[in-house]
């Protein structure tokens, strides 16, 4: 399925992601890593640590609704694979991101921005395996 | 106040995520599909996010502490090990299968789509799988 090339919306949206990331460091002194935040909700260490994560996630989840109220359209979301593949992908993402201590937000945005050596290794690694996976699924097995 | 700030931060991040297109699995997968329906938009997301975060972090770290007290929690590890590379490689495979990543899927919950719920439950399953592996083969997968 084709999607439109949106350089301006994507760059602007990226700046929004960056702004949220910087604000979390400014206010709470924390890295904006979605995997770490999620895992903090699942494996609770203490209540204070839980509270800010819950508030952060509520804010994140409110975003599409707010966009809908203001613009009248819900952000596009097209799932191109079967529910079974969604589940398999989720398990691998959860396992991989927790083993590798981060995902696109933690390593990709926060880690690269502070020139973390671990992130400089992690990001090209997951970009490469993602590209290989897409190639194999779409062009080797067809899809 | 701290929690309202966290909620606002999550909202900014989520709005950025929605406008950037990172929330849409079809768009994410097309970024990797150079040999097919390529959509380079996500490079612009990364560009925008890194630009703001790179300079934003530098400004924030001129302060001695975050606005709401405590200290800046910044990962200091520099060890490149099999866990980092293997975990990141796995994450990329999972990301490439369906096009969902945790940072995009959490705000995407707000669209009310069941596939997103399914994905996030599977991610939590992946977190538990990692814990299970850690109890079987501690040396390889424990923190």
């Amino acid at each position: 399925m084709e999607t439109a090339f949106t350089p301006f919306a994507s760059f602007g949206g990226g700046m929004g992601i960056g702004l949220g990331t910087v604000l979390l460091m400014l206010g709470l002194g924390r890295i904006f890593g979605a995997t770490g935040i999620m895992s903090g909700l699942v494996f609770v260490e203490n209540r204070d640590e839980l509270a800010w994560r819950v508030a952060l996630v509520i804010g994140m989840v409110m975003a599409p609704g707010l966009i809908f109220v203001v613009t009248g359209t819900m952000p596009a979301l097209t799932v191109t694979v079967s529910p079974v593949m969604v589940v398999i992908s989720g398990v691998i993402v959860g396992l991989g991101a927790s083993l590798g201590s981060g995902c696109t937000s933690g390593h990709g945005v926060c880690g690269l921005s502070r020139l973390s050596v671990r992130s400089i290794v992690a990001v090209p690694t997951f970009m490469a395996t993602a590209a290989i996976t897409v190639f194999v699924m779409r062009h080797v097995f067809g899809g | 106040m701290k929690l309202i700030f966290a909620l606002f931060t999550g909202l900014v991040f989520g709005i950025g995520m929605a406008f950037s297109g990172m929330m849409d699995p079809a768009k994410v997968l097309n970024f990797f599909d150079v040999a097919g329906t390529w959509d380079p938009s996500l490079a612009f997301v990364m560009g925008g996010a890194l630009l703001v975060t790179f300079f934003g972090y530098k400004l924030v770290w001129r302060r001695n502490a975050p606005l709401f007290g405590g200290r800046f929690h910044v990962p200091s590890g520099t060890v490149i090990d099999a866990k980092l590379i293997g975990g990141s490689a796995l994450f990329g495979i999972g990301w490439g299968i369906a096009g969902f990543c945790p940072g995009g899927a959490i705000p995407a919950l707000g669209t009310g789509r069941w596939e997103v719920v399914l994905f996030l439950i599977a991610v939590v399953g992946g977190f538990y799988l990692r814990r299970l592996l850690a109890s079987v083969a501690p040396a390889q997968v424990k923190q």
Side-chain angles (χ1 to χ4, degrees):
Chain A
M1 197 196 100
E2 298 226 5
T3 51
F5 176 47
T6 54
F8 297 107
S10 289
F11 191 78
M15 291 178 83
I17 294 171
L19 183 61
T21 304
V22 172
L23 286 175
L24 189 65
M25 184 59 73
L26 172 68
L28 281 76
R30 296 291 180 159
I31 290 284
F32 208 128
T35 302
I37 288 155
M38 253 188 95
S39 122
L41 291 182
V42 179
F43 309 112
V44 182
E45 303 143 28
N46 67 62
R47 281 191 99 115
D48 193 48
E49 289 300 296
L50 179 66
W52 70 262
R53 288 189 168 101
V54 170
L56 190 76
V57 166
I58 291 173
M60 289 166 85
V61 175
M62 280 167 61
L66 184 72
I67 291 172
F68 179 73
V69 168
V70 174
T71 68
T73 44
M74 204 48 124
L77 197 160
T78 313
V79 182
T80 56
V81 295
S82 69
V84 175
M85 293 309 265
V86 170
V87 171
I88 293 172
S89 124
V91 172
I92 299 175
V93 162
L95 177 65
S98 65
L99 278 175
S101 313
C103 54
T104 333
S105 51
H107 279 309
V109 178
C110 304
L112 289 187
S113 292
R114 51 188 194 81
L115 307 176
S116 150
V117 188
R118 280 170 58 84
S119 300
I120 291 169
V121 171
V123 177
T125 304
F126 64 62
M127 295 300 261
T129 55
I132 293 167
T133 305
V134 170
F135 183 81
V136 169
M137 284 186 59
R138 289 193 171 176
H139 303 288
V140 178
F141 295 114
Chain B
M1 204 49 215
K2 178 180 162 182
L3 295 183
I4 293 170
F5 185 90
L7 187 138
F8 175 74
T9 298
L11 187 63
V12 170
F13 183 95
I15 290 172
M17 193 58 88
F19 276 110
S20 74
M22 272 293 264
M23 229 172 72
D24 186 0
K27 211 165 164 60
V28 171
L29 293 181
N30 278 347
F31 174 68
F32 291 110
D33 195 7
V34 181
T37 49
W38 191 43
D39 174 359
S41 302
L42 294 198
F44 289 78
V45 180
M46 241 8 212
L50 287 177
L51 184 74
V52 172
T53 310
F54 182 81
F55 291 105
Y57 271 0
K58 282 193 188 305
L59 285 175
V60 167
W61 287 333
R62 286 186 184 176
R63 298 175 53 91
N64 292 319
L67 291 177
F68 297 98
R71 60 181 182 88
F72 294 115
H73 297 260
V74 181
S76 55
T78 53
V79 181
I80 312 295
D81 53 8
K83 218 176 62 168
L84 175 74
I85 297 173
S88 299
L90 267 180
F91 167 73
I93 293 170
W95 192 25
I97 291 175
F100 280 119
C101 67
I106 297 173
L109 267 180
T111 62
R113 296 282 294 273
W114 62 269
E115 295 100 323
V116 181
V117 180
L118 195 64
F119 173 78
L120 286 171
I121 292 172
V123 171
V124 172
F127 291 164
Y128 277 102
L129 185 59
R130 182 261 164 100
R131 290 223 151 178
L132 193 73
L133 288 176
S135 62
V136 181
Q140 278 74 42
V141 284
K142 230 176 173 177
Q143 285 282 13

